[in-house]
Amino acid sequence: MKPLSLLIEILIILGVIIKNIEAEKHNKKQKERNVTTQVSVNEVKRLLSHILERRKLIKVIYQRENALGKKKIQRKLRIRGIQNKDLSKRNKKHLRKQAKKNFTDEGDQLFKMGIKILQQSKSQKQKAEAYVFFAKAANMGNLKAMEKMADALLFGNFGMQNITAAIQLYESLAKEGSYKAQNALGFLSSYGIGMEYNQAKALIYYTFGSAGGSMMSQMILGYRYLSGINVLQNCEVALNHYKKVADYIADKLEKSESIPVEKVRLTERPENLSSNSEILDWDIYQYYKFLAERGDVQIQVSLGQLHLIGRKGLDQDYYKALYYFLKAAKAGSANAMAFIGKMYLEGNAAAPQNNATAFKYFSMAASKGNAIGLHGLGLLYFYGKGVPVNYAEALKYFQKAAEKGWPNAQFQLGFMYYSGSGVWKDYKLAFKYFYLASQSGQPLAIYYLAEMYATGTGVLRSCRTAVELYKGVCELGHWAEKFLTAYFAYKDGDIDSSLVQYALLAEMGYEVAQSNSAFILESKKVKILEKEKMYPMALLLWNRAAIQGNAFARVKIGDYHYYGYGTKKDYQTAATHYSIAADKYHSAQAMFNLAYMYEHGLGIAKDIHLARRLYDMAAQTSPDAHIPVFFALMKLETVHLLQDILFFKFTMCWKWMKLDNTLGPYWDLFVIGLIVAVLIFLLRNRYG
């Protein structure tokens, strides 16, 4: 950094810091504790504005200083000579390095303080305060802090979404070599959010991002090569990308148990969405707490598990988890004893790592025949924690637990046979146990199955199968936490923030995120995209979700072609998609739609008998279809009867009597209304 710009930058930053210090001195401690989220957000916004202005100022100063610097050097060479110049250079370099070091160190400290607060915070207010530190660190040129602030502006953390400002920061960061910025710019280019819609540019950004080490970019490229999105479909290239991410995730999983991610589908009915089983409603949580305090052992264990790993929207809280497990264990719950053993084996704030205590509780649970307790004892003997390593004992306990269907024990058996730990290597047995564990969703078992398919170890090599398995492991990454934040943003009415988060996950290949993004775009409540782009983008996302096996998405594609949303009206294509949804996924809605098209001959040959059959199948498939099918069949039979009568008795009159001309294009609705009126009249006369 040049001395002149460094001086100006230091003066600017010192001014900001002095003002902050003076403000803090005049505030009482009580007021500091009660600072609101809005105040924090305003401070963050102010600092962000300052960051962007300062970076522009520095750029201008650099340009001026370069011109002035050349003239000064020439003048000094002529007047003082080379020796004086060398001495001046050394002094300047020393001062520059010292100032830069102090400046960087302070930025690093502020960033670390922000990270610490963010990790320990449980409330939104505390998290917002963490971003104040990030903003100050970013103001000092800390690249990681700038990445945090850019992400906050992009995803709308704490209601401060500003796509334009985010792009400015990302572009600045990309020039500094930030792979996170490259990934973000690729994502924005891919959707045309705040930038020109340009898939070629997006691909370049993703390529640079993956080369720099972005796991998200690797995953996006893997999905693109798997599905052939703007690149030639290539399974081997997809395998290479997915494997890198899966290796990273597997390494994390081996150190700690994965946290399942709640993926709420916005396409569910509103009444189901409000009480979605994936997210625990606060009132229901309070009721469970009441039951737990009243001594319901099963609820105590369930709440302990939820708090242990932070599921269903609850925060991870080891103290609460241990509290509920201890209550249940005192009541004789073997599961609770096993989970207490697990907590002491892994170690945490509430239960410090203690092999002896872990052995005690695992033994208590195992004596009751508990699979988790048996598996825990197996782990102690396998790794030699608190007891000598004994593969024979470990194998015995793993087998007992596996027989009871515990997936972690099945995985451990598979791993022993795969690696030859205490047993002869046997890839067939390893495959068997990995497969059994994978059926229950055990992530490491899925990873090792992918390894076997990728290398052809113990099984016929299959690139496609390996990629699908690797993809499942990759979707357990920490980035999947955005499903929760996106869902809560949607519930709070922050549609733009929700869309950006779901759209990024959709780009990474998450099917649920693809359907959710399409659902939000379809609502046309989004402000960050032009209205004319919404339906075409939604159709694209519905199509990607349908390819991954989403039946609802397949029906939606049919609807878009039927009504001409985001594409031209095409009854034939609509019927094709309805047929796929009906035949492959047994969708009642698709059957009903297809029956209607057969009834009226839309895009396919008219066939009344097939229409009747499809209506009946729809009613049999879904109870919700009974009433619509009843009225549809009533209308169909009535119209069919009228046509028969008119054909046989009024042949000459039928030539000029056309229902479309007489009653208009919606005559079928008129007939349904007439039938309903007759039924109401008959029922009133019967019971009158």
Side-chain angles (χ1 to χ4, degrees):
M1 187 178 290
K2 305 291 182 184
L4 180 59
S5 64
L6 176 62
L7 179 61
I8 291 170
E9 188 171 352
I10 290 171
L11 287 171
I12 293 168
I13 292 159
L14 283 173
V16 175
I17 293 169
I18 288 164
K19 285 179 184 178
N20 290 335
I21 291 168
E22 287 175 354
E24 287 168 6
K25 282 180 180 177
H26 287 87
N27 289 333
K28 293 180 180 180
K29 291 182 180 179
Q30 185 64 30
K31 287 184 178 179
E32 287 177 0
R33 284 195 294 268
N34 295 330
V35 64
T36 60
T37 304
Q38 189 59 43
V39 174
S40 298
V41 170
N42 289 337
E43 190 175 353
V44 170
K45 287 180 178 178
R46 181 177 60 78
L47 286 167
L48 274 169
S49 176
H50 178 70
I51 292 165
L52 294 170
E53 287 175 7
R54 182 173 61 80
R55 293 187 73 82
K56 288 178 182 177
L57 179 63
I58 289 168
K59 190 176 180 181
V60 173
I61 291 167
Y62 277 153
Q63 290 172 353
R64 290 179 180 176
E65 192 179 325
N66 285 335
L68 290 170
K70 288 179 181 178
K71 291 179 181 179
K72 285 180 181 180
I73 289 168
Q74 289 172 0
R75 196 178 296 120
K76 285 178 182 179
L77 281 170
R78 286 195 301 268
I79 297 169
R80 296 183 182 178
I82 297 171
Q83 288 183 349
N84 289 338
K85 179 202 164 193
D86 290 341
L87 180 63
S88 176
K89 274 188 174 181
R90 284 197 294 272
N91 289 335
K92 283 183 178 181
K93 281 182 180 178
H94 175 72
L95 290 170
R96 191 188 307 155
K97 285 180 181 178
Q98 190 62 39
K100 189 175 181 180
K101 184 179 183 300
N102 294 338
F103 194 63
T104 305
D105 289 347
E106 191 172 352
D108 289 342
Q109 286 176 2
L110 286 167
F111 176 73
K112 287 174 183 176
M113 286 171 70
I115 290 291
K116 188 177 180 180
I117 292 171
L118 199 62
Q119 289 173 343
Q120 295 176 351
S121 62
K122 292 182 180 179
S123 67
Q124 289 293 95
K125 184 184 77 172
Q126 290 173 324
K127 289 178 181 177
E129 287 171 0
Y131 276 87
V132 174
F133 283 98
F134 291 145
K136 289 177 180 177
N139 195 33
M140 295 185 172
N142 186 288
L143 293 180
K144 290 183 179 179
M146 288 175 68
E147 287 173 348
K148 283 281 185 185
M149 296 312 303
D151 287 346
L153 287 166
L154 175 61
F155 299 119
N157 297 355
F158 316 110
M160 58 180 189
Q161 189 174 43
N162 188 328
I163 304 293
T164 305
I167 290 170
Q168 286 178 8
L169 274 175
Y170 281 133
E171 287 177 341
S172 178
L173 285 163
K175 291 175 183 176
E176 301 288 341
S178 168
Y179 62 79
K180 288 184 179 179
Q182 298 279 4
N183 183 74
L185 290 171
F187 159 66
L188 292 167
S189 299
S190 178
Y191 281 87
I193 299 174
M195 297 179 70
E196 180 191 0
Y197 176 81
N198 192 323
Q199 290 293 339
K201 190 179 283 187
L203 189 62
I204 292 169
Y205 278 127
Y206 289 142
T207 304
F208 279 114
S210 65
S214 170
M215 291 294 111
M216 284 187 176
S217 292
Q218 291 280 7
M219 198 166 162
I220 290 168
L221 288 173
Y223 177 65
R224 287 192 166 219
Y225 278 103
L226 174 66
S227 307
I229 300 171
N230 299 110
V231 292
L232 290 173
Q233 196 169 16
N234 191 320
C235 184
E236 294 298 334
V237 176
L239 178 70
N240 183 46
H241 285 295
Y242 272 124
K243 179 172 168 51
K244 288 176 183 176
V245 185
D247 289 343
Y248 168 79
I249 300 297
D251 183 59
K252 298 282 185 185
L253 292 173
E254 285 173 352
K255 293 174 183 176
S256 62
E257 187 176 347
S258 65
I259 298 174
V261 179
E262 282 74 26
K263 300 174 185 174
V264 180
R265 288 189 182 275
L266 301 182
T267 52
E268 291 186 1
R269 290 182 172 186
E271 60 267 24
N272 294 335
L273 189 61
S274 61
S275 58
N276 197 284
S277 59
E278 294 289 347
I279 305 294
L280 191 63
D281 187 79
W282 180 251
D283 293 332
I284 295 172
Y285 172 64
Q286 294 300 319
Y287 178 62
Y288 283 164
K289 281 177 69 176
F290 170 75
L291 291 177
E293 294 300 329
R294 291 286 298 270
D296 189 317
V297 176
Q298 189 175 352
I299 294 294
Q300 288 169 350
V301 174
S302 296
L303 284 177
Q305 286 180 268
L306 291 175
H307 281 297
L308 179 62
I309 55 178
R311 287 203 63 190
K312 293 191 178 292
L314 295 180
D315 288 327
Q316 190 176 48
D317 192 321
Y318 294 121
Y319 290 99
K320 287 182 180 178
L322 186 61
Y323 169 76
Y324 286 118
F325 285 145
L326 285 170
K327 285 179 77 73
K330 285 178 183 177
S333 169
N335 272 338
M337 295 171 189
F339 278 115
I340 294 170
K342 182 178 183 297
M343 289 183 75
Y344 278 104
L345 175 63
E346 294 175 355
N348 54 65
Q353 208 285 327
N354 191 312
N355 292 326
T357 308
F359 185 87
K360 170 190 167 185
Y361 280 103
F362 280 142
S363 298
M364 289 166 63
S367 65
K368 293 176 176 286
N370 181 270
I372 305 172
L374 290 164
H375 170 252
L377 287 176
L379 287 175
L380 292 173
Y381 281 109
F382 185 81
Y383 293 106
K385 294 194 173 184
V387 292
V389 173
N390 190 326
Y391 289 127
E393 282 292 295
L395 184 67
K396 180 182 76 175
Y397 284 118
F398 287 149
Q399 284 175 333
K400 286 182 179 180
E403 286 168 6
K404 294 179 180 291
W406 186 238
N408 289 352
Q410 292 166 343
F411 162 71
Q412 288 294 342
L413 279 175
F415 182 75
M416 288 183 77
Y417 284 111
Y418 181 82
S419 60
S421 303
V423 293
W424 292 103
K425 278 188 180 181
D426 190 327
Y427 292 126
K428 287 186 179 179
L429 276 176
F431 180 85
K432 171 191 169 183
Y433 286 116
F434 284 149
Y435 180 78
L436 285 172
S438 70
Q439 295 305 293
S440 301
Q442 216 288 343
L444 283 172
I446 297 170
Y447 170 76
Y448 278 101
L449 273 180
E451 290 280 280
M452 295 182 81
Y453 275 110
T455 57
T457 304
V459 67
L460 188 66
R461 187 180 187 277
S462 171
C463 178
R464 184 77 188 190
T465 306
V467 169
E468 292 292 346
L469 291 167
Y470 277 138
K471 183 175 182 288
V473 176
C474 293
E475 291 182 354
L476 294 171
H478 62 84
W479 39 78
E481 293 171 3
K482 289 195 182 298
F483 271 106
L484 276 180
T485 53
Y487 171 67
F488 288 128
Y490 181 81
K491 279 193 74 178
D492 292 338
D494 194 349
I495 306 300
D496 287 339
S497 173
S498 180
L499 174 65
V500 171
Q501 293 178 76
Y502 277 132
L504 176 60
L505 293 167
E507 187 77 350
M508 296 170 73
Y510 288 89
E511 178 271 308
V512 175
Q514 289 167 348
S515 59
N516 285 356
S517 299
F519 179 80
I520 292 172
L521 286 166
E522 189 179 83
S523 69
K524 289 201 169 183
K525 294 178 182 177
V526 179
K527 296 175 183 176
I528 56 175
L529 271 178
E530 294 86 350
K531 284 189 177 180
E532 60 271 14
K533 290 182 181 179
M534 291 186 192
Y535 273 136
M537 186 62 71
L539 179 58
L540 177 71
L541 289 164
W542 283 128
N543 190 56
R544 290 181 185 178
I547 290 169
Q548 296 199 71
N550 187 318
F552 184 84
R554 183 65 67 182
V555 175
K556 275 289 182 182
I557 298 170
D559 291 344
Y560 274 51
H561 283 95
Y562 184 89
Y563 294 107
Y565 295 156
T567 185
K568 292 181 180 179
K569 277 189 180 182
D570 189 339
Y571 291 138
Q572 192 171 355
T573 304
T576 301
H577 286 289
Y578 290 145
S579 297
I580 293 170
D583 297 339
K584 192 174 180 180
Y585 305 110
H586 307 291
S587 167
Q589 182 66 61
M591 293 172 187
F592 186 92
N593 293 355
L594 199 58
Y596 184 86
M597 296 185 80
Y598 271 114
E599 180 186 349
H600 296 277
L602 300 172
I604 43 181
K606 190 172 183 178
D607 191 328
I608 300 298
H609 300 293
L610 191 52
R612 282 199 195 98
R613 182 184 171 192
L614 284 165
Y615 279 135
D616 289 335
M617 287 171 65
Q620 291 168 9
T621 304
S622 173
D624 293 340
H626 284 164
I627 294 174
V629 165
F630 170 76
F631 284 116
L633 285 172
M634 284 284 288
K635 188 224 26 169
L636 188 149
E637 297 299 340
T638 303
V639 172
H640 191 58
L641 179 63
L642 287 172
Q643 286 178 346
D644 285 346
I645 292 170
L646 291 169
F647 181 77
F648 287 110
K649 294 186 178 180
F650 304 101
T651 307
M652 298 303 295
C653 295
W654 178 247
K655 290 181 180 179
W656 55 268
M657 185 182 175
K658 293 185 178 180
L659 291 176
D660 277 352
N661 294 332
T662 308
L663 301 176
Y666 301 106
W667 59 268
D668 50 351
L669 297 176
F670 174 78
V671 173
I672 290 172
L674 185 64
I675 294 166
V676 172
V678 171
L679 285 171
I680 292 170
F681 176 76
L682 291 172
L683 289 170
R684 286 185 66 182
N685 287 340
R686 182 176 179 181
Y687 294 107

